[in-house]
Amino acid sequence: LVITPDPSGMHSHVEDPLSIAELLRETLSEELQAMNNLSARWHMIEDESTAHALEHLIAKKREMLRDLWDLLRDVEARAFASKHG
């Protein structure tokens, strides 16, 4: 069960794998954009200790993105298996 805001600002619930996959794809897209922004800021910062700290955060974000991608793949596999199975 996933809860997400609908266009009116209210929350709606989705249970089917295709809808969940759509939400995960949107989340992945947003997180990739955030990673792009963080990487750009890391590139701009010349303070070595701050840049080093950001490198650690970027590494953690990369792990999170990998886990999110794996989750999306699993949900999509279930969605397509139930549609054709």
Side-chain angles (χ1 to χ4, degrees), residues 31 52 70:
E31 291 297 330
H52 184 71
D70 290 344

Side-chain angles (χ1 to χ4, degrees), residues 4-37:
T4 185
D6 67 19
S8 68
M10 302 300 291
H11 285 85
S12 60
H13 300 255
V14 296
E15 295 182 32
D16 64 285
L18 282 176
S19 295
I20 293 169
E22 180 181 355
L23 292 174
L24 291 174
R25 282 190 297 275
E26 290 172 4
T27 302
L28 184 60
S29 175
E30 291 164 359
E31 291 297 330
L32 285 168
Q33 183 61 48
M35 175 67 131
N36 188 51
N37 293 339

Side-chain angles (χ1 to χ4, degrees), residues 63-82:
E63 289 177 21
M64 186 274 304
L65 285 166
R66 183 198 62 227
D67 293 345
L68 185 56
W69 176 254
D70 290 344
L71 178 61
L72 173 59
R73 289 178 53 195
D74 291 346
V75 170
E76 285 181 334
R78 281 188 314 209
F80 295 123
S82 66

